[in-house]
Structure formats: C-alpha cells, structure tokens
Amino acid sequence: MYWQRVLGGIQEACRLHGWGAVVLAPFDDGHVSDILPPYLDRTRCVGGLAVGSFPLKQLAAMKRTALPVVLVDHQEPFSGLDSVANDNIAAARMISGLLLDRGCRSFVFVGSDRFSVSFRERWLGCRSALEQTFAQRKDGELRRWTIPYSREWIDTLQARLSRTRPDELPDAFVCANDDIAAELLKLLLQRGVDVPGRCRVAGIDNIEGSAWTRPPLTTMDLGKEQLGQRAVEALERRIARPSAPVERVGLVPELVLRAST
C-alpha cells in the first residue's frame, strides 16, 4: 500500500533516465560483498537508493562501495548521505491543527514510536503541535496508546479500547498511520461510538483503502510515487556533483479531508 508505490516511482524515474533498477533484499551485516552480489556488474552500477531505514553500520558499508547512495524516506544525520523523505512531523502537526480547529481538546495518539522513524516523527509532530497550544490555553490533554505495530497488533488495540470507559474516550484520535486508523474506526463502530459525533479519527499516509472506511478517513497524503521519483533525481544530482554539500529534501504533505473528522 505504501512501499510498492514508492518503488513504482523509482522504477518509472529510472526508466526515464535510461537506467535499469535492481531490487536487493536487506542484508544481515555490513560486508560490502552482501550489498553488491556477485551477479551484478560492478562497473555498470551508477548508484544506490536505500529505501526505508537501515542501521548506521549498513549505511557505512554502502558508502564503502564508493557508489553514490541516497536514503529514501529515512534520515540519518551521521551517515553523510543525501536523503529524500516525507515530512512526517509537518504531517502530524497539520492533522493535529485541524482537529484543534474542530474544537477538540482531549487527544490520544495511537501507535508505538519504537516501530519506525516515521512513527516517532509523527508522535513528535503531534506532541509539539498540541503542547504548544495547550500551554497557551491550559485546557487540553494528550495521551498515548503505545500499540506495537507488529504481529497481533489488532488484538492489542481491541484490548486497549475495551478497557476504556465511554467517558474516557478522547475528542480525537490521531493514529500513526491509516492502517491503525481504519481498524480503530471499525472497533469504535462495533462499540456504537459515533464518529465523528463523539470522537474524531485521523490517520496519516492516504493509502488507497482510507477512502472506503466507515466513515471515510481524514488523513495526510504523503508522496509515494513522487518520493521515489525525487530520490532518483537526488541520485542524479549526486552523480553529477559528487563534492556538493549533503542535501536533505522533505516533501510537504497534503491534507485529505473526509467524514471521520
């Protein structure tokens, strides 16, 4: 729903440049031989795109190949590598600001910031937007449901909601992604909770299914194909200007307003 579209953007941009694209699975350690398998002709490799998050030692191994490398949807300040990423902090701040404008004063952020860098940035964006406003108004509340986004996470979310009394429900749920938000909407509906009358629910990502939830989900549209295309452009820049300063590109999200808020 997300990474496949990013990869599609990468492949299309490579095609327009006359480049081929080879997808390599993540490797277990930091040996260069694991990054460039024997069947690849090293002399024909123009560069690499590290899609998603990688440990710093693996990024260091990529740099040792002497090929230009660009990070895609991940930033690692100590890597010395260019990066192209969606601005997750801005996305969370914008969706939180919308809910504040709708009159919401009590919030729950749903998701574990340990799952990924993007989840952590979304939590930070939500917290910074709300704490700044609450400090001025002194009438708000922000809680967090740390739901591990891994195996059996839906059961964990269901159990957490079942322990919540009706009077403990917040004005708004900000979910770390649309997948979590869609499941939460379904569980609230099963409990007879009126959305958006009693609670408003928002996600982030604008995956395809977010328009078909009940009610349709308000979310932030993060560039997917555009992210992949812009990463290829960054790689082309690095190839042409190998000594240029390290560049960090952040794609600005767009609000998609639907009935859940």
Side-chain angles (χ1 to χ4, degrees):
M1 294 181 288
Y2 184 89
W3 292 111
Q4 184 173 341
R5 293 178 60 183
V6 174
L7 182 59
I10 290 172
Q11 292 171 329
E12 175 61 16
C14 285
R15 186 187 66 79
L16 294 175
H17 282 76
W19 293 348
V22 177
V23 180
L24 303 178
F27 48 96
D28 293 330
D29 55 32
H31 296 302
V32 172
S33 60
D34 293 324
I35 303 172
L36 300 176
Y39 60 80
L40 283 184
D41 182 351
R42 170 66 173 77
T43 63
R44 298 182 64 189
C45 294
V46 299
L49 300 174
V51 181
S53 59
F54 288 83
L56 187 57
K57 69 174 184 178
Q58 295 186 0
L59 298 178
M62 293 179 195
K63 289 189 69 174
R64 289 199 297 271
T65 66
L67 290 169
V69 176
V70 173
L71 308 182
V72 184
D73 213 28
H74 178 62
Q75 294 184 355
E76 175 47 71
F78 299 106
S79 69
L81 297 172
D82 296 323
S83 63
V84 179
N86 283 304
D87 193 337
N88 289 291
I89 291 178
R93 287 184 63 88
M94 290 171 68
I95 204 76
S96 301
L98 167 76
L99 293 166
L100 285 167
D101 290 342
R102 291 283 191 272
C104 298
R105 291 296 175 266
S106 59
F107 289 76
V108 168
F109 181 88
V110 186
S112 172
D113 60 357
R114 295 184 179 182
F115 172 72
S116 68
V117 174
S118 62
F119 275 30
R120 181 162 62 251
E121 290 175 342
R122 293 168 189 184
W123 159 245
L124 292 174
C126 177
R127 189 179 69 180
S128 63
L130 297 179
E131 287 182 347
Q132 181 178 1
T133 301
F134 293 164
Q136 298 169 352
R137 298 179 180 176
K138 302 185 184 302
D139 64 346
E141 176 190 36
L142 172 61
R143 292 173 284 153
R144 178 167 52 166
W145 288 2
T146 303
I147 306 297
Y149 191 56
S150 55
R151 198 182 330 180
E152 300 177 353
W153 69 270
I154 294 177
D155 293 338
T156 306
L157 177 61
Q158 186 173 16
R160 184 65 184 82
L161 184 60
S162 67
R163 297 196 303 269
T164 304
R165 300 193 311 269
D167 61 309
E168 293 177 328
L169 289 171
D171 297 335
F173 287 99
V174 178
C175 299
N177 69 3
D178 286 355
D179 198 21
I180 295 173
E183 188 61 34
L184 179 62
L185 278 173
K186 185 169 69 175
L187 294 172
L188 289 170
L189 182 65
Q190 290 172 357
R191 289 191 61 178
V193 177
D194 180 15
V195 178
R198 173 61 182 87
C199 296
R200 292 180 166 91
V201 178
I204 297 174
D205 277 343
N206 194 27
I207 61 174
E208 213 166 295
S210 62
W212 308 108
T213 58
R214 294 180 56 197
L217 180 67
T218 291
T219 183
M220 297 300 301
D221 185 38
L222 301 183
K224 302 170 189 69
E225 290 87 358
Q226 300 89 339
L227 181 66
Q229 293 163 0
R230 187 63 180 84
V232 173
E233 293 174 7
L235 181 60
E236 183 185 36
R237 168 188 175 273
R238 180 54 57 189
I239 293 169
R241 302 176 59 195
S243 59
V246 174
E247 182 180 63
R248 295 179 186 167
V249 177
L251 302 187
V252 178
E254 182 179 353
L255 175 65
V256 180
L257 188 60
R258 298 194 183 105
S260 69
T261 57

